[in-house]
Amino acid sequence: MHRWAKNRESWLALHLALPNGIPSRDCIRRLLMALKPEAFQRCFQDWICDAIPADTENSRRHVAIDGKACRGSHDAAKGLGNLHIVSAWASEQGIALGQVATDAKSNEITAIPKLLEQIDLTDTLITIDAMGCQKAIVEQIVDGGGDCVIAVKDNQPKLATAIQAFFLDHLERDLEDLHYRYDETRDAGHGRIDERSYYLVKVPTDFASLKDWPWIKAIGYAVRITQHADGTESDEVRYYLSSHYLSGKRFGEAVRGHWSIESMHWVLDVNFREDEHRTRERTLGNNLSWLRRFAVTLLKRHPDKDSLRGKMMSCMINTDYLTQVLSLQRV
């Protein structure tokens, strides 16, 4: 940061008061270690709210929540494992909404409620992988005025068994006596063809887990069949709970849209090389991680038809382009 700032001092002077010149590397480090991550994030969230108008056409926004390990952040001498970051990502707008850091993947369960407290859940559809399939989390989302679509796996064995048994029973009869909402898509790319089918059903009154999960209004089944370039086929089946009986199309969009946060994590590793960073001080690592996520937001918001890496290069060599990215100008 210091090296870049020294080489862009004249440009920075157009936007910042720098009475004492460019801060030293140690000064920048001490500042990022002193800033409380939640307060630091709130400044950027306010910036985004001021710069980006509300989406009045899409009243129910989609927010994906997922965790990612910073693999280079471990410190064996101090007994520290990898720093895990649980992030919230507005998938349709490509905006980082917030994050919470933990010291272990198992702690994501406690981090998700803290992250949800930072988000306005009203009219928001939250998607989470199976780690977030917890009663308290579903209750918190519904009580906050939102809805959720959450993957169900073996960490909730009774619920997973009940949903799987329900759909297998009806699939044996080709869904003839089942009322459901449905959507399907077909995508080709990267040498394969993906056919996806989505089924959503109102929770039946005799559903085995209804008493334990009163917030669930629908259960879902998603299957993906992939035809590979070598002629082979593979399939994947996933089960979901939903706090709202969505349309088939919206349920499918939510399931597919959750992939956007995984794509953002891939960008962090490939373009920002996050896994290679050896920052072990937790507050510093958390704040740097947030800056990377916010940078992804700014770059994705720029309308230039270029890759993210291409936009990064343009920012490096062209200060006019950099100004457009930082000011969120829709040029």
Side-chain angles (χ1 to χ4, degrees), residues 11 14-15 47 302 314-315 318-329:
W11 177 80
L14 299 175
H15 305 278
W47 178 14
H302 193 280
S314 295
C315 287
N318 185 340
T319 53
D320 289 339
Y321 192 95
L322 176 61
T323 301
Q324 293 170 8
V325 170
L326 291 176
S327 57
L328 294 167
Q329 293 181 16

Side-chain angles (χ1 to χ4, degrees), residues 22 33 36 43 57 63 78 90 95 98 107 143 145 168 183 212 229 247 249 261 268 286 295 314 329:
I22 300 298
M33 289 174 63
K36 293 182 178 180
C43 295
E57 295 182 1
V63 174
K78 295 183 179 179
I95 298 173
N107 291 339
D143 288 349
L168 287 178
D183 189 38
D212 296 327
S247 68
K249 180 180 179 182
I261 193 170
L268 291 172
N286 192 350
S314 295
Q329 293 181 16

Side-chain angles (χ1 to χ4, degrees), residues 30-247:
R30 287 195 301 269
L31 175 65
L32 289 174
M33 289 174 63
L35 288 170
K36 293 182 178 180
E38 187 175 340
F40 189 45
Q41 292 171 38
R42 194 177 302 119
C43 295
F44 289 87
Q45 291 160 357
D46 292 342
W47 178 14
I48 281 288
C49 289
D50 289 340
I52 300 176
D55 185 356
T56 56
E57 295 182 1
N58 187 10
S59 59
R60 185 179 292 274
R61 63 174 179 169
H62 174 210
V63 174
I65 292 178
D66 196 17
K68 178 187 180 297
C70 301
R71 300 193 182 279
S73 61
H74 58 87
D75 190 345
K78 295 183 179 179
L80 293 176
N82 293 328
L83 178 67
H84 287 261
I85 301 291
V86 182
S87 307
W89 180 256
S91 61
E92 289 150 335
Q93 292 80 28
I95 298 173
L97 297 178
Q99 67 181 43
V100 172
T102 74
D103 285 325
K105 184 173 178 61
S106 60
N107 291 339
E108 289 184 16
I109 295 174
T110 59
I112 291 173
K114 295 178 182 177
L115 182 57
L116 290 172
E117 291 174 0
Q118 300 179 23
I119 302 170
D120 181 4
L121 297 173
T122 307
D123 291 327
T124 298
L125 179 61
I126 303 288
T127 58
I128 316 176
D129 63 15
M131 179 65 75
C133 188
Q134 307 291 329
K135 297 172 187 175
I137 290 174
V138 177
E139 183 178 14
Q140 182 180 0
I141 294 169
V142 174
D143 288 349
D147 283 305
C148 59
V149 171
I150 300 178
V152 180
K153 291 185 179 179
D154 292 339
N155 62 323
Q156 293 291 347
K158 291 183 180 179
L159 180 61
T161 299
I163 296 176
Q164 184 177 17
F166 175 85
F167 279 106
L168 287 178
D169 178 53
H170 284 280
L171 284 168
E172 288 180 357
R173 301 194 298 273
D174 295 325
L175 307 177
E176 289 181 354
D177 56 347
L178 184 66
H179 295 285
Y180 58 90
R181 291 176 175 175
Y182 173 76
D183 189 38
E184 64 178 16
T185 62
R186 189 176 190 274
D187 301 304
H190 305 288
R192 66 176 186 266
I193 299 174
D194 289 317
E195 295 181 345
R196 296 178 175 89
S197 300
Y198 306 93
Y199 302 83
L200 194 67
V201 181
K202 281 187 177 180
V203 174
T205 55
D206 60 348
F207 186 64
S209 296
L210 184 58
K211 184 184 295 184
D212 296 327
W213 296 80
W215 315 276
I216 301 178
K217 302 304 178 185
I219 53 177
Y221 166 83
V223 58
R224 180 180 69 181
I225 299 175
T226 302
Q227 300 177 18
H228 301 278
D230 60 3
T232 60
E233 266 191 7
S234 61
D235 62 80
E236 180 185 31
V237 175
R238 292 189 177 185
Y239 299 98
Y240 295 87
L241 64 83
S242 176
S243 63
H244 188 77
Y245 189 36
L246 304 166
S247 68

Side-chain angles (χ1 to χ4, degrees), residues 62-64 89-92 94 127 255-266 300:
H62 174 210
V63 174
W89 180 256
S91 61
E92 289 150 335
T127 58
V255 173
R256 291 192 306 277
H258 189 75
W259 177 83
S260 65
I261 193 170
E262 297 174 7
S263 174
M264 186 266 287
H265 291 166
W266 182 87
K300 281 184 172 291

